Amino acid sequence: MAKQELTCDDILKELRAKQYRPVYYLMGEESYYIDLIADYITDNVLSETEKEFNLTVVYGADVDVATIINAAKRYPMMSEHQVVVVKEAQAVRNMEELSYYLQKPLLSTILVICHKHGTLDRRKKLAAEVEKTGVLFESKKIKDAQLPGFIASYMKRKGVDVEPKATSMLADFVGSDLSRLTGELEKLIITLPAGQKRVTPEQIEKNIGISKDYNNFELRSALVEKDILKANKIIKYFEENPKTNPIQMTLSLLVSFYSNWMLTYYAPDKSEQGIANMLGLRTPWQARDYMAAMRKYSGVKTMQIVGEIRYADAKSKGVQNSSMTDGDILRELVFKILH
């Protein structure tokens, strides 16, 4: 039976219980979880006094494997542990040679390797040695459909509730850069009025700069409901405010929504929970838009719409388009979707 991979929450739970491993190899495309684990170890394993002599932070471009191994082989001074953190470890050449140290690692050392924007070849010896003695963690990009769930659970841990519309506005506007997204969430928490523990669309509009009435979430709702007037009002607003509403972002979100919508026609269970499970949505309410859309549009029409969005995207990049503005492209697209 395959060994179950530890999640970020599993690793943090172990660390909070002071269960430490000799090596943490943190890799992948999503920097947020790599930083979260590395920062927790850096901030919490050693006291401020112990850090003076027992915390070493190096950068991949400045060191080789021999330097990392020498640092890891040092014994801690007046402390139970020493922590060695290698940031930007993807720049270290011959990282495979670290496997020799891991065959007999120093148990008083906690070695943290932060390998971003890529992964270790799991077929090679180093990956096997890391898994044998420590943690090999892959930080994967989360899908756009999972962003509202991420926002809701992040804010819940902070004791704050977020209205579903506000969640979708944030997810659409910020996108899947989790470091930026959590930064915006922290900003929202700070700006909440005293005693208030619920984020509304009005607060998003005031503090993040997204209009609560004219945004991609509202455009999507207008298209689902076949509200021609509302959809065109939103496009006019987008045309007048191109910096906060670039066409590429709008088209990217629409193609993601309609592609997921196509999948819902094949869901064996077309209940809220069934569709949420199929699309990997964390909360069933996110499936309601898809269910409403299925009642208004056929599967064939939805397939045609996906094609029209891709055609509009090509036009926005200058393909077969000599004179249309971004507003013209969106107006034409909305007409084709609604008729």
Side-chain angles (χ1 to χ4, degrees):
M1 198 168 109
K3 185 180 173 183
Q4 191 172 356
E5 287 192 23
L6 291 173
T7 64
C8 178
D9 286 341
D10 293 334
I11 295 165
L12 290 173
K13 189 177 176 183
E14 271 193 6
L15 290 168
R16 288 188 195 107
K18 300 192 184 303
Q19 295 171 2
Y20 305 134
R21 315 272 191 118
V23 62
Y24 293 82
Y25 201 108
L26 314 173
M27 60 184 187
E29 297 299 328
E30 181 49 73
S31 299
Y32 173 74
Y33 293 112
I34 294 173
D35 290 338
L36 197 64
I37 296 166
D39 289 349
Y40 185 90
I41 293 170
T42 305
D43 295 342
N44 296 284
V45 170
L46 304 171
S47 69
E48 288 307 313
T49 314
E50 289 171 335
K51 284 177 190 176
E52 291 288 329
F53 297 104
N54 299 292
L55 174 61
T56 305
V57 179
V58 296
Y59 288 82
D62 304 329
V63 295
D64 55 19
V65 178
T67 309
I68 296 167
I69 292 173
N70 286 337
K73 281 184 171 177
R74 283 201 303 266
Y75 285 94
M77 286 181 67
M78 294 175 290
S79 171
E80 198 178 334
H81 294 101
Q82 73 143 341
V83 174
V84 178
V85 181
V86 184
K87 297 196 170 187
E88 306 296 338
Q90 66 274 13
V92 178
R93 285 185 301 170
N94 304 324
M95 185 61 93
E96 273 297 312
E97 291 170 16
L98 186 65
S99 58
Y100 299 117
Y101 164 75
L102 294 179
Q103 285 166 16
K104 199 175 179 184
L106 202 61
L107 298 182
S108 56
T109 293
I110 298 168
L111 177 59
V112 184
I113 310 283
C114 303
H115 176 154
K116 295 181 178 179
H117 318 301
T119 57
L120 203 57
D121 187 338
R122 289 175 182 269
R123 296 165 299 180
K124 293 195 173 177
K125 189 178 180 182
L126 179 54
E129 291 296 342
V130 172
E131 289 193 301
K132 201 185 296 176
T133 58
V135 169
L136 183 62
F137 170 72
E138 183 175 353
S139 182
K140 296 175 182 173
K141 282 277 183 197
I142 74 170
K143 295 173 184 171
D144 289 342
Q146 296 170 314
L147 284 173
F150 174 87
I151 293 167
S153 60
Y154 183 92
M155 295 298 260
K156 189 177 180 183
R157 288 198 299 273
K158 304 279 182 175
V160 177
D161 191 24
V162 189
E163 288 186 15
K165 179 180 171 180
T167 301
S168 292
M169 283 168 68
L170 264 171
D172 287 352
F173 184 72
V174 181
S176 60
D177 179 342
L178 296 188
S179 298
R180 185 181 161 217
L181 181 57
T182 50
E184 296 289 2
L185 295 176
E186 289 296 335
K187 186 162 72 174
L188 275 173
I189 292 167
I190 292 165
T191 55
L192 275 175
Q196 189 172 326
K197 292 292 182 184
R198 186 172 178 83
V199 174
T200 63
E202 286 75 18
Q203 271 148 343
I204 302 284
E205 181 173 50
K206 184 180 173 186
N207 297 299
I208 308 292
I210 317 166
S211 166
K212 68 181 173 62
D213 297 316
Y214 301 102
N215 55 66
N216 287 303
F217 173 76
E218 289 297 335
L219 176 61
R220 196 173 67 198
S221 296
L223 295 175
V224 168
E225 295 301 323
K226 294 194 169 182
D227 189 332
I228 297 169
L229 180 63
K230 182 179 174 184
N232 281 292
K233 275 185 178 177
I234 293 169
I235 287 164
K236 187 171 187 297
Y237 179 87
F238 283 6
E239 197 171 18
E240 291 165 357
N241 299 272
K243 283 189 178 175
T244 50
N245 303 279
I247 188 171
Q248 264 74 35
M249 183 163 75
T250 298
L251 293 173
S252 169
L253 292 166
L254 286 177
V255 82
S256 173
F257 177 72
Y258 279 89
S259 299
N260 275 343
W261 179 353
M262 272 300 303
L263 293 174
T264 61
Y265 288 99
Y266 300 98
D269 174 5
K270 290 185 172 58
S271 67
E272 261 185 37
Q273 189 63 60
I275 288 170
N277 290 344
M278 183 179 187
L279 297 179
L281 307 174
R282 290 196 189 182
T283 49
W285 62 260
Q286 290 174 254
R288 287 172 199 165
D289 268 355
Y290 295 107
M291 295 177 77
M294 286 169 73
R295 289 191 288 270
K296 300 261 182 164
Y297 296 83
S298 69
V300 171
K301 176 66 176 173
T302 308
M303 194 182 294
Q304 288 169 349
I305 290 169
V306 173
E308 292 295 351
I309 298 168
R310 294 195 188 283
Y311 183 46
D313 184 50
K315 277 187 180 176
S316 76
K317 291 165 183 164
V319 179
Q320 293 183 343
N321 172 28
S322 55
S323 58
M324 288 178 81
T325 65
D326 289 353
D328 292 337
I329 293 167
L330 280 178
R331 263 187 292 276
E332 182 184 69
L333 174 63
V334 164
F335 180 85
K336 287 177 176 175
I337 289 173
L338 297 175
H339 292 85

PDB file of all heavy atoms in Angstrom, residues 149-162 185 189 197:
ATOM      1  N   GLY A 149     -13.076  28.171  -0.881  1.00  0.00           N
ATOM      2  CA  GLY A 149     -12.954  27.305   0.305  1.00  0.00           C
ATOM      3  C   GLY A 149     -11.719  27.638   1.121  1.00  0.00           C
ATOM      4  O   GLY A 149     -11.747  27.639   2.353  1.00  0.00           O
ATOM      5  N   PHE A 150     -10.609  27.940   0.422  1.00  0.00           N
ATOM      6  CA  PHE A 150      -9.369  28.324   1.111  1.00  0.00           C
ATOM      7  C   PHE A 150      -9.591  29.606   1.913  1.00  0.00           C
ATOM      8  O   PHE A 150      -9.197  29.707   3.074  1.00  0.00           O
ATOM      9  CB  PHE A 150      -8.245  28.537   0.088  1.00  0.00           C
ATOM     10  CG  PHE A 150      -6.970  29.079   0.692  1.00  0.00           C
ATOM     11  CD1 PHE A 150      -6.012  28.223   1.228  1.00  0.00           C
ATOM     12  CD2 PHE A 150      -6.739  30.455   0.759  1.00  0.00           C
ATOM     13  CE1 PHE A 150      -4.841  28.727   1.806  1.00  0.00           C
ATOM     14  CE2 PHE A 150      -5.580  30.968   1.328  1.00  0.00           C
ATOM     15  CZ  PHE A 150      -4.627  30.095   1.855  1.00  0.00           C
ATOM     16  N   ILE A 151     -10.244  30.596   1.279  1.00  0.00           N
ATOM     17  CA  ILE A 151     -10.509  31.885   1.950  1.00  0.00           C
ATOM     18  C   ILE A 151     -11.378  31.671   3.182  1.00  0.00           C
ATOM     19  O   ILE A 151     -11.076  32.178   4.272  1.00  0.00           O
ATOM     20  CB  ILE A 151     -11.191  32.871   0.969  1.00  0.00           C
ATOM     21  CG1 ILE A 151     -10.214  33.261  -0.147  1.00  0.00           C
ATOM     22  CG2 ILE A 151     -11.704  34.111   1.699  1.00  0.00           C
ATOM     23  CD1 ILE A 151     -10.862  33.970  -1.328  1.00  0.00           C
ATOM     24  N   ALA A 152     -12.466  30.895   3.013  1.00  0.00           N
ATOM     25  CA  ALA A 152     -13.390  30.668   4.132  1.00  0.00           C
ATOM     26  C   ALA A 152     -12.695  29.986   5.301  1.00  0.00           C
ATOM     27  O   ALA A 152     -12.857  30.393   6.461  1.00  0.00           O
ATOM     28  CB  ALA A 152     -14.583  29.841   3.651  1.00  0.00           C
ATOM     29  N   SER A 153     -11.876  28.953   5.023  1.00  0.00           N
ATOM     30  CA  SER A 153     -11.222  28.218   6.120  1.00  0.00           C
ATOM     31  C   SER A 153     -10.114  29.054   6.756  1.00  0.00           C
ATOM     32  O   SER A 153      -9.925  29.018   7.972  1.00  0.00           O
ATOM     33  CB  SER A 153     -10.698  26.862   5.648  1.00  0.00           C
ATOM     34  OG  SER A 153      -9.763  27.017   4.622  1.00  0.00           O
ATOM     35  N   TYR A 154      -9.383  29.854   5.954  1.00  0.00           N
ATOM     36  CA  TYR A 154      -8.329  30.726   6.499  1.00  0.00           C
ATOM     37  C   TYR A 154      -8.944  31.733   7.476  1.00  0.00           C
ATOM     38  O   TYR A 154      -8.437  31.928   8.588  1.00  0.00           O
ATOM     39  CB  TYR A 154      -7.619  31.460   5.359  1.00  0.00           C
ATOM     40  CG  TYR A 154      -6.463  32.331   5.801  1.00  0.00           C
ATOM     41  CD1 TYR A 154      -5.165  31.822   5.839  1.00  0.00           C
ATOM     42  CD2 TYR A 154      -6.656  33.664   6.188  1.00  0.00           C
ATOM     43  CE1 TYR A 154      -4.093  32.600   6.255  1.00  0.00           C
ATOM     44  CE2 TYR A 154      -5.591  34.448   6.604  1.00  0.00           C
ATOM     45  CZ  TYR A 154      -4.313  33.917   6.632  1.00  0.00           C
ATOM     46  OH  TYR A 154      -3.262  34.701   7.053  1.00  0.00           O
ATOM     47  N   MET A 155     -10.028  32.359   7.048  1.00  0.00           N
ATOM     48  CA  MET A 155     -10.668  33.381   7.894  1.00  0.00           C
ATOM     49  C   MET A 155     -11.339  32.761   9.125  1.00  0.00           C
ATOM     50  O   MET A 155     -11.353  33.360  10.202  1.00  0.00           O
ATOM     51  CB  MET A 155     -11.687  34.169   7.070  1.00  0.00           C
ATOM     52  CG  MET A 155     -11.052  34.990   5.952  1.00  0.00           C
ATOM     53  SD  MET A 155      -9.909  36.253   6.540  1.00  0.00           S
ATOM     54  CE  MET A 155     -10.952  37.699   6.461  1.00  0.00           C
ATOM     55  N   LYS A 156     -11.859  31.543   8.968  1.00  0.00           N
ATOM     56  CA  LYS A 156     -12.493  30.859  10.103  1.00  0.00           C
ATOM     57  C   LYS A 156     -11.463  30.618  11.211  1.00  0.00           C
ATOM     58  O   LYS A 156     -11.756  30.760  12.395  1.00  0.00           O
ATOM     59  CB  LYS A 156     -13.095  29.523   9.633  1.00  0.00           C
ATOM     60  CG  LYS A 156     -13.971  28.847  10.681  1.00  0.00           C
ATOM     61  CD  LYS A 156     -14.596  27.577  10.126  1.00  0.00           C
ATOM     62  CE  LYS A 156     -15.462  26.901  11.171  1.00  0.00           C
ATOM     63  NZ  LYS A 156     -16.019  25.616  10.664  1.00  0.00           N
ATOM     64  N   ARG A 157     -10.219  30.244  10.807  1.00  0.00           N
ATOM     65  CA  ARG A 157      -9.148  30.041  11.796  1.00  0.00           C
ATOM     66  C   ARG A 157      -8.826  31.336  12.531  1.00  0.00           C
ATOM     67  O   ARG A 157      -8.341  31.315  13.658  1.00  0.00           O
ATOM     68  CB  ARG A 157      -7.878  29.505  11.115  1.00  0.00           C
ATOM     69  CG  ARG A 157      -7.977  28.068  10.667  1.00  0.00           C
ATOM     70  CD  ARG A 157      -6.601  27.460  10.423  1.00  0.00           C
ATOM     71  NE  ARG A 157      -5.852  28.146   9.381  1.00  0.00           N
ATOM     72  CZ  ARG A 157      -5.955  27.860   8.084  1.00  0.00           C
ATOM     73  NH1 ARG A 157      -6.779  26.901   7.671  1.00  0.00           N
ATOM     74  NH2 ARG A 157      -5.232  28.521   7.197  1.00  0.00           N
ATOM     75  N   LYS A 158      -9.113  32.467  11.880  1.00  0.00           N
ATOM     76  CA  LYS A 158      -8.861  33.777  12.496  1.00  0.00           C
ATOM     77  C   LYS A 158     -10.095  34.290  13.246  1.00  0.00           C
ATOM     78  O   LYS A 158     -10.115  35.424  13.730  1.00  0.00           O
ATOM     79  CB  LYS A 158      -8.475  34.811  11.418  1.00  0.00           C
ATOM     80  CG  LYS A 158      -7.277  34.405  10.579  1.00  0.00           C
ATOM     81  CD  LYS A 158      -5.979  34.700  11.287  1.00  0.00           C
ATOM     82  CE  LYS A 158      -4.778  34.345  10.439  1.00  0.00           C
ATOM     83  NZ  LYS A 158      -3.515  34.722  11.049  1.00  0.00           N
ATOM     84  N   GLY A 159     -11.160  33.450  13.281  1.00  0.00           N
ATOM     85  CA  GLY A 159     -12.381  33.845  13.991  1.00  0.00           C
ATOM     86  C   GLY A 159     -13.239  34.829  13.221  1.00  0.00           C
ATOM     87  O   GLY A 159     -14.035  35.571  13.802  1.00  0.00           O
ATOM     88  N   VAL A 160     -13.096  34.855  11.874  1.00  0.00           N
ATOM     89  CA  VAL A 160     -13.848  35.801  11.042  1.00  0.00           C
ATOM     90  C   VAL A 160     -14.678  35.037  10.010  1.00  0.00           C
ATOM     91  O   VAL A 160     -14.196  34.088   9.392  1.00  0.00           O
ATOM     92  CB  VAL A 160     -12.887  36.783  10.316  1.00  0.00           C
ATOM     93  CG1 VAL A 160     -13.648  37.729   9.400  1.00  0.00           C
ATOM     94  CG2 VAL A 160     -12.064  37.574  11.327  1.00  0.00           C
ATOM     95  N   ASP A 161     -15.910  35.464   9.822  1.00  0.00           N
ATOM     96  CA  ASP A 161     -16.811  34.868   8.828  1.00  0.00           C
ATOM     97  C   ASP A 161     -16.779  35.741   7.566  1.00  0.00           C
ATOM     98  O   ASP A 161     -16.584  36.957   7.663  1.00  0.00           O
ATOM     99  CB  ASP A 161     -18.230  34.825   9.425  1.00  0.00           C
ATOM    100  CG  ASP A 161     -19.165  33.988   8.576  1.00  0.00           C
ATOM    101  OD1 ASP A 161     -18.671  33.112   7.835  1.00  0.00           O
ATOM    102  OD2 ASP A 161     -20.383  34.214   8.640  1.00  0.00           O
ATOM    103  N   VAL A 162     -16.930  35.137   6.403  1.00  0.00           N
ATOM    104  CA  VAL A 162     -16.935  35.901   5.149  1.00  0.00           C
ATOM    105  C   VAL A 162     -18.192  35.547   4.365  1.00  0.00           C
ATOM    106  O   VAL A 162     -18.487  34.377   4.150  1.00  0.00           O
ATOM    107  CB  VAL A 162     -15.690  35.577   4.271  1.00  0.00           C
ATOM    108  CG1 VAL A 162     -15.611  36.536   3.088  1.00  0.00           C
ATOM    109  CG2 VAL A 162     -14.408  35.657   5.076  1.00  0.00           C
ATOM    110  N   LEU A 185      -6.218  39.207   2.891  1.00  0.00           N
ATOM    111  CA  LEU A 185      -7.109  38.757   3.975  1.00  0.00           C
ATOM    112  C   LEU A 185      -6.691  39.370   5.309  1.00  0.00           C
ATOM    113  O   LEU A 185      -7.543  39.801   6.100  1.00  0.00           O
ATOM    114  CB  LEU A 185      -7.111  37.226   4.065  1.00  0.00           C
ATOM    115  CG  LEU A 185      -7.702  36.480   2.861  1.00  0.00           C
ATOM    116  CD1 LEU A 185      -7.551  34.975   3.031  1.00  0.00           C
ATOM    117  CD2 LEU A 185      -9.172  36.831   2.655  1.00  0.00           C
ATOM    118  N   ILE A 189      -8.841  41.831   7.834  1.00  0.00           N
ATOM    119  CA  ILE A 189      -9.048  41.577   9.273  1.00  0.00           C
ATOM    120  C   ILE A 189      -8.710  42.836  10.079  1.00  0.00           C
ATOM    121  O   ILE A 189      -9.454  43.234  10.986  1.00  0.00           O
ATOM    122  CB  ILE A 189      -8.190  40.372   9.747  1.00  0.00           C
ATOM    123  CG1 ILE A 189      -8.709  39.075   9.109  1.00  0.00           C
ATOM    124  CG2 ILE A 189      -8.204  40.259  11.272  1.00  0.00           C
ATOM    125  CD1 ILE A 189      -7.768  37.889   9.245  1.00  0.00           C
ATOM    126  N   LYS A 197     -17.138  40.672  13.165  1.00  0.00           N
ATOM    127  CA  LYS A 197     -16.404  39.461  12.799  1.00  0.00           C
ATOM    128  C   LYS A 197     -16.918  38.865  11.490  1.00  0.00           C
ATOM    129  O   LYS A 197     -16.852  37.670  11.266  1.00  0.00           O
ATOM    130  CB  LYS A 197     -16.544  38.406  13.924  1.00  0.00           C
ATOM    131  CG  LYS A 197     -15.824  38.791  15.222  1.00  0.00           C
ATOM    132  CD  LYS A 197     -14.323  38.794  15.045  1.00  0.00           C
ATOM    133  CE  LYS A 197     -13.576  39.115  16.322  1.00  0.00           C
ATOM    134  NZ  LYS A 197     -12.129  39.199  16.109  1.00  0.00           N
TER     135      LYS A 197
END
